[in-house]
Amino acid sequence: MKSIRLIATKSLRSWMLLALVALLSACSLSPELRTADLARIEGKTYVVTGASSGFGRGVAERLGTARANVVLAARRTELLEEVAGRVRAAGGQALVVTTDVARPGDMDRLMSAALARFGRVDVWINNAGVGAIGRFEDIPVEDHSRLVDVNLKGVIHGSHLALRQFRKQGSGTLVNIGSVESEVPLAYQASYAATKAAVLSLGRTLNEELRLARLADVQVVTVMPWAADTPFFAHAGNYSGRQPNMVLLDPPEKVVDAIVWVSVNPREELPVGWKAGVSTANHRLFPDLTERASADLSQKAQMEEPPPAPSGPGSIHRPVQEGRSISGGMRHAR
């Protein structure tokens, strides 16, 4: 019995030490976007999918202030035109290309339009994504399928187009937006977590292929944010019976700055903020414990505490009017 308590105590101490190390290194997980970084962006061409709201809109508008060429892709054309106006007003150039990333023809047309207008692509950001909240078996299978089409197949197709172009150019940076769920799966978001885990695995594999090909000037980055206060929750399919909810939401600006920063300071993986850093680090040492803690958090925060809400697919299959800005307004509503 004494030996069991000793082992448990050592495990707890190890977990606490790892958490402390992650917390002490938190500053490196929320990179600060400096004037020098913005200067390196000027005149470069970026393709940003999911650019009508949330991270994508924030990234596009920030790139405009750096005088970049920004190719805006999403399904909601009128919102893309609004974002384009802000990019141009800030000093950048903008091109709107209505795109459903789940349609290969749309993605081919997106790359063609970018090259026709600007001649090259320096950074391709696969940001578009959708979610579905609820028990796995309560979510319609067509919604699960659509998540795979958008979150994984869309990223694969965009990555394929980008890397073929970067090989021709001899340089370029591919930024794929994963999630803390790329590393730590969350109960009641099964297919979303599965697609984000696949995005992380894709990035790791592509980086090895680039290393073997000795293409040092072509990089693949996977950005892994904690849940942020964007319109994601307004757009997600919801079959939980309650309003979409998540605790300790990060401000979207933190993730926007990290995405823009890593586009000129590439590294293979970037958890954004201390919460994502601690979660991913703990999962690698204590996977079962971390997954149980995350599931318990999700059970309380999503399935027990929020008020009732009707079920529906959100924007999974068709765009919706709600959620038109960078922020989702959830942090300020509490």
Side-chain angles (χ1 to χ4, degrees):
M1 193 71 176
K2 183 177 181 181
S3 62
I4 294 175
R5 284 198 296 267
L6 181 60
I7 292 171
T9 300
K10 286 183 176 179
S11 296
L12 180 59
R13 287 175 179 171
S14 297
W15 188 91
M16 293 175 65
L17 177 61
L18 182 61
L20 179 60
V21 170
L23 284 168
L24 290 174
S25 62
C27 58
S28 66
L29 300 171
S30 299
E32 181 180 350
L33 191 59
R34 301 180 183 276
T35 302
D37 297 317
L38 296 174
R40 294 164 62 193
I41 292 169
E42 183 173 358
K44 288 188 174 181
T45 298
Y46 283 68
V47 175
V48 184
T49 70
S52 61
S53 64
F55 296 150
R57 178 170 185 153
V59 166
E61 293 183 5
R62 185 61 54 89
L63 292 172
T65 66
R67 299 180 181 275
N69 307 319
V70 190
V71 184
L72 304 163
R75 294 176 294 174
R76 295 184 290 181
T77 308
E78 76 286 356
L79 269 183
L80 291 181
E81 294 291 356
E82 180 181 305
V83 178
R86 295 180 68 89
V87 170
R88 296 180 186 118
Q93 297 191 62
L95 173 66
V96 168
V97 184
T98 305
T99 306
D100 183 337
V101 299
R103 297 178 178 175
D106 282 14
M107 295 292 273
D108 292 341
R109 186 166 53 84
L110 174 61
M111 175 61 88
S112 297
L115 294 176
R117 174 71 178 273
F118 298 113
R120 63 177 284 126
V121 172
D122 297 289
V123 180
W124 183 290
I125 302 176
N126 282 317
N127 167 75
V130 291
I133 301 168
R135 295 180 182 87
F136 177 75
E137 64 272 20
D138 291 342
I139 298 171
V141 71
E142 57 267 25
D143 288 14
H144 288 303
S145 179
R146 173 68 177 176
L147 257 70
V148 173
D149 288 343
V150 174
N151 296 2
L152 180 54
K153 290 183 180 179
V155 170
I156 288 174
H157 200 102
S159 299
H160 192 267
L161 289 166
L163 290 180
R164 287 172 68 92
Q165 181 61 28
F166 295 162
R167 281 179 180 265
K168 291 178 184 178
Q169 297 172 179
S171 65
T173 301
L174 170 65
V175 180
N176 290 331
I177 308 305
S179 166
V180 68
E181 292 189 56
S182 297
E183 180 74 39
V184 187
L186 189 63
Y188 308 121
Q189 294 190 28
S191 49
Y192 179 83
T195 59
K196 291 303 183 178
V199 168
L200 177 58
S201 185
L202 175 68
R204 289 173 172 173
T205 305
L206 294 179
N207 273 306
E208 291 306 314
E209 292 187 10
L210 294 170
R211 178 184 63 82
L212 293 169
R214 295 181 172 84
L215 290 171
D217 292 328
V218 179
Q219 292 94 12
V220 178
V221 178
T222 304
V223 179
M224 297 184 291
W226 181 264
D229 183 12
T230 70
F232 172 85
F233 296 95
H235 293 163
N238 181 23
Y239 300 90
S240 68
R242 297 183 179 275
Q243 290 183 9
N245 185 47
M246 184 60 185
V247 298
L248 299 173
L249 291 170
D250 275 342
E253 294 80 10
K254 176 191 289 188
V255 182
V256 166
D257 283 355
I259 294 169
V260 175
W261 180 88
V262 84
S263 75
V264 289
N265 299 283
R267 67 239 4 249
E268 290 192 14
E269 295 163 19
L270 181 66
V272 181
W274 71 266
K275 286 167 283 189
V278 168
S279 296
T280 56
N282 285 347
H283 188 258
R284 290 168 188 174
L285 188 59
F286 303 108
D288 290 340
L289 178 62
T290 305
E291 289 172 16
R292 287 172 64 97
S294 297
D296 290 345
L297 175 67
S298 184
Q299 171 67 27
K300 185 175 182 180
Q302 179 57 62
M303 306 300 283
E304 297 176 4
E305 292 185 342
S311 297
S315 69
I316 291 178
H317 302 284
R318 287 174 293 278
V320 296
Q321 287 299 313
E322 295 81 5
R324 303 169 65 86
S325 62
I326 299 169
S327 172
M330 294 176 67
R331 296 169 72 239
H332 302 296
R334 294 171 180 163

